[in-house]
Amino acid sequence: MDDRGASSAETGAWVVALPGPVGTADSGPLVLERRPPPVPGAGEVLVEVEACGVCRTDLHLAEGDLPPRVPRCTPGHEVVGRVTALGPGTEGFAVGDRAGVAWLAGVCGRCRYCRGGRENLCPASTYTGWDRHGGYAGSVTADARFAYRLPEGPPAEELAPLLCAGIIGYRALERAELPEGGLLGIYGFGASAHLTAQIALARGARLAVFTRGEAARGLARELGAGFAGDSYDPPPEPLDAAILFAPAGELVPVALAALDRGGTLAVAGIHLTDVPALNYQRHLFQERTLRSVTANTRADGRAFLAEAARVRPVVRVNRYPMRHADAALADLAADRVTGVAVLVP
């Protein structure tokens, strides 16, 4: 789908018509439709999409794991593009600027969480591609206060995954409290994990990866993992910290059992299947900690993007034309994507 030559009266956008299992490229919950182009409201920017990452959260939305909050919602919250219009009173951007539109779309700014620097926990928080239409489209609007200014140099398809996979992985790494030089275990090795691994390695960590896909294990070794095994393999030595990226609750006790004394497991996903019963002595005693990760703050986003600019992580990109967004989501559902899937016009 390339809307740059389309009539200004309409634009193409993918929508979740009826949540359900993602099937083949010609069937499933995503439907391509045409609608009037979005108009930026007060304080908003209109961004022409140059690239949009395909996130597992989009899959959860399409399949109904996340109840839709907007009828016929357009997914996509890893958006890189150009500002083409400004709403009334918009500050911080000019027409022509490169901008990133990420998962966190808005907060109340008044609750105790917002006032205390924990806006990711705001009960009134809203999200791109869930509460408002996202980037599986020719253009998207965003509150300028929640958009990111992006550098001009890197390709759009390499920047896009940083806006969710990168930022969420960064927060998960912070929540895992990995000691300096410690051994980090990563369970699942998709978009977020392969970026987070590189940040951890650049900080001096050692890395053990546990994932069911041989291609993903190969990528982990290529990026510097000292160990890459199956999801249920024991680690080469007890882990100082771990992050669970796979949305598989059955791996929680596996990862906890692999932790050393005092270790922390951070669960990075927005959706997780049920967690089996835990054994206190085996999984939690000796001050092992289990933590969830909920969205991110804008401070997380700025800090990660600054660190990524220094580290320059390798982004393993699988490009899909925007008109094949349904195929990209189907490939993600079937674990046929190694690295990240990115939609381009």
Side-chain angles (χ1 to χ4, degrees), residues 13-267:
W14 288 93
V15 302
V16 179
L18 182 65
V22 170
T24 62
D26 57 359
S27 67
L30 283 189
V31 174
L32 181 60
E33 67 179 22
R34 305 197 72 78
R35 65 186 183 205
V39 177
E44 293 185 341
V45 291
L46 176 65
V47 177
E48 182 179 1
V49 177
E50 295 179 341
C52 182
V54 178
C55 178
R56 191 161 289 274
T57 301
D58 304 334
L59 181 62
H60 293 316
L61 176 71
E63 296 197 320
D65 297 323
L66 299 180
R69 294 178 173 178
V70 177
R72 302 184 75 83
C73 183
T74 295
H77 53 273
E78 297 177 327
V79 183
V80 175
R82 294 282 173 186
V83 175
T84 57
L86 305 174
T90 299
E91 298 179 350
F93 286 92
V95 171
D97 285 348
R98 201 177 205 191
V101 181
W103 175 235
L104 185 65
V107 296
C108 75
R110 301 181 301 276
C111 69
R112 62 189 179 98
Y113 303 105
C114 288
R115 295 196 311 270
R118 298 187 294 166
E119 65 183 9
N120 62 304
L121 300 179
C122 174
S125 56
T126 57
Y127 301 95
T128 309
W130 193 16
D131 293 282
R132 56 188 297 162
H133 293 306
Y136 285 26
S139 57
V140 63
T141 59
D143 185 327
R145 298 170 299 174
F146 290 83
Y148 295 94
R149 297 185 66 89
L150 297 178
E152 291 292 339
E157 59 264 33
E158 294 183 10
L159 286 174
L162 304 184
L163 293 166
C164 178
I167 294 173
I168 294 299
Y170 172 88
R171 185 170 182 87
L173 182 59
E174 295 294 291
R175 294 277 289 166
E177 295 187 346
L178 178 69
E180 185 175 354
L183 178 60
L184 174 67
I186 289 182
Y187 288 80
F189 205 71
S192 191
H194 96 289
L195 297 173
T196 307
Q198 295 177 72
I199 297 297
L201 289 168
R203 292 181 178 183
R206 295 175 294 129
L207 182 64
V209 169
F210 306 86
T211 186
R212 63 187 182 184
E214 181 52 47
R217 291 195 289 269
L219 178 59
R221 297 185 192 100
E222 179 183 328
L223 293 176
F227 173 87
D230 183 75
S231 300
Y232 291 88
D233 284 348
E237 62 183 269
L239 305 172
D240 295 300
I243 303 173
L244 175 60
F245 286 104
E250 62 270 21
L251 292 179
V252 169
V254 174
L256 285 170
L259 289 176
D260 202 352
R261 300 174 181 218
T264 296
L265 169 64
V267 180

